[in-house]
Amino acid sequence: MQKDWLAATSFERRHDVLSAISTLSIHSKLALSDVRDPATSHEVEEARRTLIGFLDRFAPLVDQLQAEVGQPIVGADPDLTDLVYRFISLWRERASSGSIGPPDEIAALLASGDDADHQKVIAWLELLRAVTDEPREDSMRFLPGGSR
Amino acid sequence: MRNILERRNRRIARDANTLVGHLQAAGIPGSLEPYRQQLIAWSATIGSLAAKNLEYLRLGEDTILSDVLANTERGLRLLRFLSADLVTPVLRGTPTDEVCLTTISWLHANHPEVRPYPPAVSPGTCAVWPLLEFVPIYFFPALEQQNLLYQPLLFHEFGHVLYGVHKPEMDDLVGDLQRSIQEILLPVSQRNDLHAARQAARRQGIVNTWYRWAQEIFCDAVGFEMGGPCFLHALSEFVGGLHRSDFYRAEPELRGSTHPVTALRIRLLLSRARSSGYEDLATKVEEEWNTLGASFSMPEDYHGYYIDTVLGPLSRTIEDMLTEASPRRCTGDEATGDRRIAGEDSPVRLFNWAWQTYRSDPSLYDEWEQEFVKRFVDGTSTLAVTGTQDLATQKDIEVPSRVEVARAE
């Protein structure tokens, strides 16, 4: 059984982020449908705080990668580094279609709370989910039980 | 899809409730109670998540089905995680867990930023999951859990928890080290061809690997700063040095590896021991490793992952990380071991005494340890220690000599 501290902390981080993504995605979709969200305002704010906290750590690494082309990312664990590379790749795909703006747009959207453009929030959350929700065959690698 | 998600969430809610019942019914030592409460809280959270999913489903909104699916998967994954791994200390605990629990309780109690996290241990290879959002859990081999000699290894694992608590600062320091290593590895002139691209990729692999290596070397340093001689002995004997891979690994095995080559870890620890004034101790351990290393005739070659010019930046980084984490340092008295008065002294002195006793005469050690494990876990009885009386039954116990070395401020 894999007892790797890095796999365990990566699992914990992805769990927090995915939880926040789901809460906020549901909130925005229900808002667009004019349906009352059963989640409390505290739960929604907590999800925003979680995601903003993650982006506070994540965004400088994205900047580092874009500023120091060809240089390895430093000061970040391998899992977070993988997320950064995957983010850049997916962002380029979706930004070219115009559905999302520059990388710093999501932080601004989250900070504006319920005044945000819900369609844009949903598009960004779908991207973040695609980044952090690894494919099924890889997910066992991040379960502390390891691959079986 | 809606029916499937309803059924799955009802099952998750039921299982989470069942888990709460099992946790509440388990008989456990008092020191494990805070951990049990954390697990019960998490089980209840999973139940609440399932209930929330059922509420979402009742809205009849198809646009959110993909999110409820994601939530359901997350709840199930978390439940499996609890069931497979985290509940073991409570549902499968044994009395032999108490030695490690006592050590971990002491570690957490003596570091304010870690005090909120309850102690917990499960059988397994020496490790820790520093899960600061869930609850940290340590792992320790079943045999070694029951003795005192290898308890200092928990100081290394505790280093991972300290790293986690100070993560942003620690990551910044490690990032600076990675940049230094990158600069050291850069060639004076760079070509613009396939060879240069391969070399650049190789350098990237080395720099990336150092993220994990730096944390392991930091944890070794924490272990020594907290335990003194007993940590060096415990690590040296536990990691072995009895296989050639302790001295040399081929380059493909180094890339992305979780730990530096063992001989390198020992070398760095010996340097730390010497700079702390333990010249004789370091020399003895070094002699043992040199003897073992000579039998394998392996070259000291780290394939560019470690060269002498890395030592300067590495040492500075580790000292900065120790300053940030501020682990409780072993005192001169604790390092001498010799005797311990329960309730008035730290486990560090006892662990140093254990190693002195063991190295003095292993044949007498088991009986000695049996008595002192009991007293260590008990914690309330006062040792009737005269020093002379205990020593009379043993051969001369060699206490590590130490020359006080002024620490740079």
Side-chain angles (χ1 to χ4, degrees):
Chain A
M1 179 177 288
Q2 196 182 80
K3 291 290 188 288
D4 181 24
W5 55 263
L6 183 58
T9 53
S10 300
F11 170 77
E12 186 178 58
R13 175 172 52 216
R14 287 175 185 239
H15 169 86
D16 280 351
V17 170
L18 287 167
S19 170
I21 288 170
S22 292
T23 299
L24 293 175
S25 176
I26 290 172
H27 185 71
S28 281
K29 287 175 180 175
L30 292 179
L32 286 175
S33 301
D34 204 22
V35 174
R36 192 188 71 82
D37 186 355
T40 64
S41 55
H42 171 78
E43 286 168 338
V44 174
E45 278 314 307
E46 193 57 40
R48 285 197 182 107
R49 267 196 294 275
T50 297
L51 219 43
I52 288 172
F54 171 72
L55 290 169
D56 281 346
R57 187 75 191 96
F58 191 74
L61 298 174
V62 172
D63 293 342
Q64 189 191 122
L65 183 63
Q66 292 185 303
E68 299 173 29
V69 178
Q71 299 301 316
I73 293 175
V74 297
D77 62 71
D79 178 60
L80 191 58
T81 302
D82 281 348
L83 294 182
V84 173
Y85 282 112
R86 198 182 306 173
F87 172 85
I88 291 289
S89 172
L90 287 176
W91 172 75
R92 281 181 182 148
E93 277 175 28
R94 301 194 187 191
S96 63
S97 70
S99 58
I100 53 175
D104 56 2
E105 182 181 59
I106 176 58
L109 286 168
L110 289 172
S112 57
D114 279 343
D115 293 332
D117 179 336
H118 287 294
Q119 289 284 13
K120 281 202 167 170
V121 169
I122 291 166
W124 268 108
L125 293 175
E126 280 174 3
L127 185 152
L128 287 176
R129 180 180 282 152
V131 169
T132 50
D133 194 11
E134 65 278 17
R136 191 67 191 155
E137 60 270 21
D138 284 340
S139 67
M140 296 302 287
R141 174 163 64 88
F142 293 107
L143 265 181
S147 56
R148 297 180 194 278
Chain B
M1 171 65 83
R2 195 176 292 280
N3 289 342
I4 293 171
L5 291 176
E6 278 177 8
R7 180 166 50 85
R8 294 296 182 98
N9 278 286
R10 289 191 203 290
R11 180 75 206 206
I12 289 170
R14 178 188 169 283
D15 287 347
N17 199 44
T18 301
L19 190 57
V20 169
H22 288 325
L23 289 167
Q24 285 171 335
I28 58 171
S31 57
L32 210 45
E33 186 60 43
Y35 183 76
R36 171 174 35 201
Q37 293 305 317
Q38 288 270 50
L39 293 180
I40 288 174
W42 271 106
S43 302
T45 297
I46 294 168
S48 300
L49 174 64
K52 182 57 63 72
N53 286 337
L54 290 169
E55 209 176 338
Y56 283 137
L57 290 168
R58 280 194 288 273
L59 295 175
E61 280 288 317
D62 287 349
T63 56
I64 64 171
L65 281 180
S66 60
D67 301 291
V68 176
L69 172 62
N71 263 359
T72 305
E73 196 272 343
R74 187 170 58 82
L76 185 60
R77 190 186 290 207
L78 190 54
L79 183 66
R80 296 264 164 83
F81 181 29
L82 255 69
S83 175
D85 293 298
L86 295 189
V87 301
T88 305
V90 175
L91 298 187
R92 298 290 187 103
T94 73
T96 55
D97 294 342
E98 292 206 49
V99 182
C100 287
L101 281 176
T102 306
T103 304
I104 297 166
S105 296
W106 178 83
L107 283 167
H108 287 204
N110 277 275
H111 295 82
E113 69 273 43
V114 185
R115 216 169 277 155
Y117 299 104
V121 68
S122 197
T125 53
C126 282
V128 66
W129 288 342
L131 302 168
L132 302 181
E133 297 298 322
F134 296 151
V135 56
I137 179 172
Y138 295 78
F139 300 91
F140 215 71
L143 176 65
E144 287 79 0
Q145 267 193 29
Q146 302 180 50
N147 68 46
L148 298 176
L149 290 178
Y150 297 110
Q151 291 296 304
L153 297 177
L154 286 168
F155 300 163
H156 169 104
E157 303 308 331
F158 180 66
H160 288 294
V161 178
L162 285 179
Y163 190 105
V165 170
H166 298 272
K167 196 169 190 302
E169 295 83 5
M170 294 294 194
D171 276 354
D172 283 347
L173 288 169
V174 171
D176 289 342
L177 173 65
Q178 288 174 296
R179 283 193 188 87
S180 298
I181 292 173
Q182 195 180 336
E183 281 174 25
I184 288 169
L185 295 176
L186 266 178
V188 174
S189 63
Q190 298 189 57
R191 290 149 54 175
N192 186 21
D193 58 13
L194 186 59
H195 173 78
R198 273 199 229 109
Q199 288 302 309
R202 185 172 169 275
R203 280 195 302 277
Q204 180 153 348
I206 293 173
V207 170
N208 290 348
T209 301
W210 267 97
Y211 178 86
R212 296 186 65 130
W213 282 21
Q215 186 166 152
E216 294 300 336
I217 293 168
F218 162 73
C219 291
D220 284 345
V222 168
F224 185 81
E225 292 299 318
M226 295 194 71
C230 67
F231 178 77
L232 181 55
H233 285 307
L235 186 72
S236 175
E237 295 237 342
F238 191 78
V239 296
L242 303 179
H243 191 272
R244 65 175 185 275
S245 63
D246 290 325
F247 298 89
Y248 173 84
R249 301 207 303 258
E251 186 170 357
E253 295 169 10
L254 294 179
R255 188 181 176 112
S257 57
T258 59
H259 293 74
V261 176
T262 309
L264 177 58
R265 292 174 69 186
I266 296 296
R267 198 218 294 189
L268 293 170
L269 263 180
L270 293 177
S271 173
R272 178 165 295 279
R274 286 196 162 98
S275 62
S276 299
Y278 295 103
E279 181 62 42
D280 291 346
L281 168 68
T283 299
K284 284 201 171 84
V285 174
E286 188 175 52
E287 280 170 2
E288 284 182 17
W289 276 79
N290 285 345
T291 301
L292 289 165
S295 70
F296 296 114
S297 303
M298 304 303 298
E300 190 176 358
D301 181 3
Y302 305 111
H303 301 289
Y305 279 73
Y306 178 80
I307 53 180
D308 287 343
T309 40
V310 169
L311 182 58
L314 175 61
S315 299
R316 285 190 292 276
T317 299
I318 297 301
E319 291 312 309
D320 288 344
M321 291 168 80
L322 286 172
T323 301
E324 174 64 38
S326 197
R328 181 195 179 280
R329 292 182 193 263
C330 172
T331 66
D333 273 351
E334 287 171 335
T336 60
D338 185 33
R339 59 184 178 173
R340 175 173 179 261
I341 300 175
E344 296 180 24
D345 208 338
S346 77
V348 177
R349 185 198 283 272
L350 177 65
F351 299 157
N352 275 301
W353 190 15
W355 273 101
Q356 290 154 22
T357 307
Y358 172 72
R359 287 175 72 90
S360 163
D361 190 339
S363 66
L364 293 177
Y365 177 74
D366 286 347
E367 194 183 326
W368 179 93
E369 184 183 67
Q370 209 169 6
E371 177 59 30
F372 284 96
V373 162
K374 186 174 174 306
R375 297 187 192 193
F376 176 56
V377 171
D378 189 8
T380 54
S381 62
T382 301
L383 293 175
V385 175
T386 62
T388 308
Q389 184 178 354
D390 288 308
L391 288 173
T393 63
Q394 303 166 35
K395 292 181 184 169
D396 291 335
I397 289 184
E398 191 179 346
V399 174
S401 64
R402 177 167 178 260
V403 176
E404 189 70 39
V405 174
R407 285 190 181 277
E409 292 299 323

